[in-house]
């Protein structure tokens, strides 16, 4: 064997070609070529350890580890619709410790491209007992209990008691779900920080009912940097707004969410960089944005159901205007409203109630955000923009990369192909554009400037008569287009480029 293959760094580089790059990104699905890496591990002793490290690094289940025990200790049987790995008899301490040559390599229990059968709940309880978990998983950094405890065999898996009996000193990322809301309030369902003293990212999915503030006292986790909470309680449990190191927050807020800025001397979310909220009204978002002390806010994403009124939207955009004063580098703003009727875009004027239209005077509040790279607005009603406003956009957001402007009304758009020409001419970084235009008049002259950055253009909700002429004009204007959506495509345009 060539001497260079004995260098660990070179071996790691060779093996990296068999690993999907997404394996290194939190929350992404692990993808590796298991058979190829397994063959590499059997090739020679020099390849064995580096290959096994990659092969075991991310696991979707405990079953591969349990099946490394002697055959007489475990079996696979069908429970309801799933095949489940179960223990026939309790392994001895020596048997458990024999797994260390593999378990010490595990860094994450997370989604993986290769599905494995789950293990029974009793086995999970045993493996994650205080003494054994620390012996088996001293380097475990990511634990998703929804992955290792899935399927019909796990309706009774209680994550909090399991976690409280575990000792994982290196764990930094934890995900679990809560379904049994009828048991909330019991002291043994309080998540204790001792089981994961290094925790930095926490995701809690509430399957039924509301999250009980007794489950987690966020004051016990002052170093938390990332938080996903699928259902914030209406009363109590709001200590997370005082987390001084939290930079990534995703949550579903109740309509009566409020902040008492005088309740503590600590600033509110001073390190916040990314905010993603699901709400029933914009008021909680406006209150949170108005109270946060962060000067590094980079991304704000809001999904509102039902659609927000003009007055609520105006208050939100004013709050974003004030956020820009503290965080001048705000780069992403994504605001989406639900439709009153999901089957078709019907103008809200047919309904009795407040206006859902978005006038230019309200949109103009966002023009102060000079560093926007991504802007997505999906509103219920008329999005009142024209060529003159497009000109203002080009002056205010010259570095825009993704622009999505969509209103659900059937009014004739007021942006022309000439307005699109100016937008692409001045915004040379724009790679994805969704907009409604009036393309019934095609300029006679070919566009003199070209956009070499635009790859996706969606004008499917526009007015147009000569489709071939419009397509020809746009392809000359943007010669590197990979995706072009014209009127006639069914359904609403996709905003996930």
């Amino acid at each position: 064997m060539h001497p260079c293959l004995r260098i660990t760094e070179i071996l790691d580089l060779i093996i990296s070609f068999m690993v999907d790059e997404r394996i290194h990104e939190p929350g992404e699905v692990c993808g590796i070529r298991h058979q190829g890496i397994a063959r590499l591990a059997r090739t020679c002793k020099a390849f064995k350890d580096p290959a096994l490290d990659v092969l075991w690094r991310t696991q979707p289940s405990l079953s591969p580890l349990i099946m490394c025990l002697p055959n007489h200790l475990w079996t696979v049987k069908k429970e309801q619709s799933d095949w489940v790995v179960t223990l026939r008899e309790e392994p001895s301490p020596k048997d458990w410790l024999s797994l260390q040559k593999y378990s010490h390599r595990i860094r994450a229990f997370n989604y993986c491209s290769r599905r494995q059968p789950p293990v029974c709940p009793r086995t999970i309880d045993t493996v994650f007992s205080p003494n054994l978990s620390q012996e088996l998983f001293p380097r475990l950094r990511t634990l998703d209990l929804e992955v290792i405890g899935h399927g019909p065999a796990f309706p009774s898996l209680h994550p909090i008691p399991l976690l409280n009996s575990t000792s994982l000193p290196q764990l930094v990322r934890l995900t679990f779900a809560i379904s049994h809301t009828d048991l909330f309030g019991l002291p043994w369902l309080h998540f204790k920080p001792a089981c994961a003293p290094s925790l930095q990212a926490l995701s809690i999915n509430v399957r039924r009912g509301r999250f009980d503030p007794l489950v987690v006292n966020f004051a016990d986790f002052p170093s938390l940097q990332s938080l996903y909470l699928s259902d914030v309680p209406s009363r109590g449990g709001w200590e997370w707004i005082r987390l001084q190191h939290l930079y990534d927050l995703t949550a579903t807020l109740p309509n009566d969410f409020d902040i008492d800025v005088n309740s503590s001397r600590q600033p509110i979310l001073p390190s916040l960089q990314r905010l993603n909220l699901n709400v029933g009204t914009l008021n909680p978002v406006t209150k949170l944005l108005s109270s946060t002390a962060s000067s590094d806010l980079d991304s704000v994403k809001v999904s509102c159901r039902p659609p927000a009124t003009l007055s609520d939207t105006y208050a939100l955009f004013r709050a974003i205007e004030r956020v820009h004063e503290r965080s001048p580098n705000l780069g992403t703003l994504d605001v989406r409203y639900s439709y009153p009727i999901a089957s078709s875009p019907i103008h809200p004027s047919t309904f009795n109630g407040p206006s859902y239209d978005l006038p230019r005077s309200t949109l103009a509040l966002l023009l102060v955000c000079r560093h926007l790279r991504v802007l997505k607005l999906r509103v219920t009603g008329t999005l009142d923009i024209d060529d003159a406003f497009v000109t203002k956009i080009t002056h205010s957001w010259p570095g825009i990369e993704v622009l999505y402007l969509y209103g659900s009304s059937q009014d004739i758009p007021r942006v022309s192909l000439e307005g699109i020409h100016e937008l692409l001419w001045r915004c040379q970084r724009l790679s994805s554009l969704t907009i409604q235009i009036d393309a019934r008049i095609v300029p006679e002259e070919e566009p003199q400037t070209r956009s070499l950055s635009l790859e996706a253009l969606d004008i499917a909700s526009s007015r147009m008569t000569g489709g071939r002429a419009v397509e020809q004009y746009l392809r000359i204007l943007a010669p590197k287009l990979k995706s072009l959506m014209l009127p006639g495509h069914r359904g609403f345009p996709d905003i996930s480029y």
Side-chain angles (χ1 to χ4, degrees), residues 414-433:
R414 300 173 62 187
V415 177
S416 67
L417 284 170
E418 292 179 347
I420 297 299
H421 182 194
E422 182 177 7
L423 178 65
L424 298 183
W425 170 44
R426 295 184 181 275
C427 299
Q428 291 295 316
R429 297 181 183 179
L430 190 63
S431 61
S432 176
L433 173 63

Side-chain angles (χ1 to χ4, degrees), residues 222-261:
S223 300
L224 207 61
Q225 298 178 10
S226 176
L227 175 63
Y228 171 88
L229 191 55
S230 66
D231 204 331
V232 174
S234 295
R235 293 288 182 270
W238 297 351
E239 297 89 353
W240 49 267
I241 67 172
R242 304 295 178 184
L243 292 172
Q244 301 298 290
H245 302 285
L246 192 71
Y247 67 81
D248 191 344
L249 173 62
T250 301
T252 299
L253 298 183
N255 292 345
D256 58 353
F257 177 81
D258 199 0
I259 297 177
D260 182 6
V261 295

Side-chain angles (χ1 to χ4, degrees), residues 63-129:
S63 56
L65 193 63
I66 298 301
M67 289 188 285
C68 290
L69 290 168
N71 290 341
H72 69 278
L73 294 177
W74 60 272
T75 186
V76 180
K77 62 181 182 180
K78 196 166 188 178
E79 294 188 6
Q80 299 184 32
S81 60
D82 259 355
W83 291 98
V84 178
V85 177
T86 62
L87 292 174
R88 287 176 171 171
E89 57 181 275
E90 184 67 28
S92 66
K94 183 178 179 181
D95 290 327
W96 282 121
L97 295 181
S98 69
L99 300 177
Q100 288 180 325
K101 58 183 177 182
Y102 303 119
S103 65
H104 279 198
R105 306 174 193 270
I106 297 177
R107 300 292 188 275
F109 285 106
N110 207 346
Y111 287 101
C112 188
S113 58
R114 189 176 186 181
R115 190 177 184 275
Q116 297 287 353
V119 301
C120 67
R122 185 172 63 88
T123 303
I124 295 179
D125 289 337
T126 303
V127 169
F128 284 101
S129 59

Side-chain angles (χ1 to χ4, degrees), residues 150-163:
H150 74 282
F154 295 88
S156 60
L157 182 65
H158 299 293
I160 305 299
L162 175 67
L163 290 168

Side-chain angles (χ1 to χ4, degrees), residues 203-216:
S203 298
I204 305 176
N205 293 310
V206 181
R207 296 303 187 200
R208 294 196 300 270
R210 283 194 171 274
F211 174 74
D212 191 301
L214 294 177
V215 173
V216 179

Side-chain angles (χ1 to χ4, degrees), residues 40 44 59 62 71 84 103 141 157 168 192 202 228 235 292 343 369 371 386 394 433 436 456 461 473 481:
L40 198 62
C44 67
Q59 294 297 315
L62 285 169
N71 290 341
V84 178
S103 65
R141 296 179 63 81
L157 182 65
L168 298 170
K192 301 175 182 177
L202 177 62
Y228 171 88
R235 293 288 182 270
T292 180
S343 58
C369 304
H371 296 283
D386 56 12
T394 61
L433 173 63
Q436 296 158 301
S461 299
Y473 179 87
L481 270 180

